[in-house]
Amino acid sequence: MLSARLPSALESGLFLLPEDGDILIFAPETEADLSTLPKDRVIIIDDFYPNVEMRKAQGFRVQQQLPDQAAAAVICMPRSKSLARKWVAEACARVTGPIAIDGNKTSGIESILKATRKLTPTSDAFSRAHGKLFILLPVAQRGEAFTSWHAGMAPGPDGFTTAPGVFSESKIDKGSSVLASVLPSRPGRRIADLGAGWGYLSAGMLQNPDIETVHIIEASKTALDCAQKNITDPRAKFHWGDARSIRLSEPVDVVVTNPPFHVGRAAEPTLGQAFLTNAAELLTPKGTLWVVANQGLPYEATLKEHFRTVDQVVLESGFKVLKAMIPNTRSRAKR
Ligand SMILES: C[S@@+](CC[C@H](N)C(=O)[O-])C[C@H]1O[C@@H](n2cnc3c(N)ncnc32)[C@H](O)[C@@H]1O
């Protein structure tokens, strides 16, 4: 984790902050302690709604886009290699001073170290707490060295637009396609897609002329921007928000979801369970939730707690589709 390495990198002078100017921190882990940095100079670059809200509440400036210029940057390695490269290219183009890259051993830090070294001078890597931090040194023309690493929205699977770092960036998720294949032709009039990604499930449902509204709810602004490119149907309503707590202006007849079950690289089933609990709150009293998940994920007990009936509709290629009907009055009464 960043907080295990950053203070030593600053203290030892390995990461030498310029006296003035903004310091960009790309998507720090939620637990990362940034107190060793001067808060008034920090801009966090993050587009994941819950993290954005958390950092704002801590008093940080948070942006989705980079400013034109900054004095230094810290890139926390994301899960996606294409996103890591995009951030390095963007930082090299805008940051005049040192750029630190930090990641745990499993984050791909070793391979980005090798790849960046071929293009620009770097410091030695500082190793601690099962990870590494190294610095891209501020040299002239650094930005030009990384031109081929720039990336943005691009055509992805089946002609849909995707972008670096979004879920199922280059192929449609098997679980989502299993869910799409069992959804009824008339699922209901008002629908919510929780954790909609770049819009695969919503786009499919909007083929149906009987549907009045699809609420497309997604925490990643980049994924939501892709969904807005992929779905121009006026019945789609886009929400950048947290599927665990969002409220809609109207109850919906159906919720569909392929919930996330990772935080960073760690499996976290409580995340998906929170999606299911909130689905019960969003539905009409006779509403239905459709959820797809890896066979082993423990969602049934949560569903039984919040819905009157729960059935497994299909089990295919290691994915189960569960259908839960009639949110129980106990959970709805808590509103
Ligand atoms: C397994 S993916 C499914 C994406 C899409 N429905 C599909 O079928 O391709 C889960 C999605 O949930 C999003 N997500 C994760 N945590 C979220 C949260 N708290 N609120 C809303 N969306 C979230 C992720 O960014 C990701 O796009």
Side-chain angles (χ1 to χ4, degrees):
M1 128 120 63
L2 178 67
S3 359
R5 294 174 286 272
L6 185 63
S8 308
L10 289 164
E11 252 172 59
S12 66
L14 174 73
F15 186 36
L16 202 54
L17 287 180
E19 290 204 345
D20 300 305
D22 290 328
I23 304 159
L24 311 181
I25 316 286
F26 287 71
E29 301 115 309
T30 48
E31 317 80 47
D33 173 7
L34 305 178
S35 59
T36 42
L37 294 166
K39 198 180 223 174
D40 56 329
R41 293 176 59 196
V42 168
I43 301 179
I44 292 181
I45 305 296
D46 204 331
D47 83 341
F48 193 69
Y49 185 87
N51 299 358
V52 170
E53 292 300 296
M54 185 200 89
R55 292 297 183 185
K56 278 190 188 163
Q58 293 173 347
F60 286 99
R61 283 181 287 165
V62 188
Q63 295 182 188
Q64 286 66 63
Q65 303 297 332
L66 271 66
D68 290 342
Q69 200 177 315
V74 179
I75 297 178
C76 304
M77 282 292 288
R79 286 179 72 183
S80 150
K81 180 177 168 185
S82 57
L83 183 58
R85 288 182 169 229
K86 170 180 163 8
W87 283 351
V88 170
E90 286 178 353
C92 284
R94 309 269 179 105
V95 175
T96 49
I99 300 169
I101 305 188
D102 180 86
N104 291 336
K105 264 186 195 159
T106 51
S107 69
I109 187 79
E110 203 54 68
S111 73
I112 202 133
L113 172 59
K114 274 192 200 134
T116 46
R117 266 191 182 151
K118 288 186 188 151
L119 300 171
T120 197
T122 73
S123 70
D124 287 338
F126 167 69
S127 300
R128 175 169 295 170
H130 309 292
K132 284 189 175 170
L133 180 151
F134 67 96
I135 311 291
L136 307 194
L137 303 170
V139 291
Q141 319 299 326
R142 183 174 58 180
E144 284 160 34
F146 290 92
T147 342
S148 65
W149 286 19
H150 280 285
M153 282 190 198
D158 278 14
F160 285 107
T161 294
T162 67
V166 301
F167 177 79
S168 64
E169 176 185 338
S170 48
K171 75 177 191 324
I172 286 162
D173 179 61
K174 181 68 192 162
S176 299
S177 69
V178 171
L179 174 55
S181 72
V182 297
L183 285 175
S185 57
R186 287 170 179 261
R189 287 184 308 128
R190 283 167 304 183
I191 299 193
D193 181 354
L194 291 185
W198 47 257
Y200 168 72
L201 289 170
S202 293
M205 289 184 297
L206 282 162
Q207 305 284 338
N208 182 336
D210 296 337
I211 286 174
E212 248 173 42
T213 312
V214 177
H215 292 280
I216 297 177
I217 298 149
E218 171 57 48
S220 154
K221 184 71 172 58
T222 306
L224 193 72
D225 289 346
C226 293
Q228 277 187 283
K229 269 233 167 280
N230 291 325
I231 301 171
T232 51
D233 191 314
R235 294 173 296 163
K237 309 281 175 239
F238 297 89
H239 308 265
W240 184 40
D242 188 337
R244 296 169 298 179
S245 52
I246 195 165
R247 291 289 172 268
L248 298 171
S249 53
E250 53 180 6
V252 293
D253 305 306
V254 170
V255 170
V256 297
T257 187
N258 176 356
F261 56 95
H262 282 103
V263 174
R265 282 181 158 72
E268 188 46 84
T270 55
L271 182 55
Q273 287 162 350
F275 272 49
L276 310 184
T277 305
N278 197 36
E281 298 289 333
L282 299 177
L283 285 163
T284 60
K286 289 188 177 166
T288 303
L289 164 66
W290 295 83
V291 50
V292 66
N294 287 2
Q295 189 179 353
L297 282 168
Y299 289 159
E300 287 79 352
T302 309
L303 291 174
K304 283 180 185 152
E305 195 185 325
H306 294 282
F307 290 86
R308 191 175 302 166
T309 69
V310 178
D311 292 303
Q312 181 170 302
V313 178
V314 73
L315 179 62
E316 189 184 321
S317 315
F319 292 97
K320 59 187 174 192
V321 173
L322 304 170
K323 180 185 179 190
M325 294 195 299
I326 313 182
N328 74 33
T329 43
R330 244 181 334 123
S331 52
R332 295 176 65 79
K334 283 187 205 146
R335 275 188 204 196

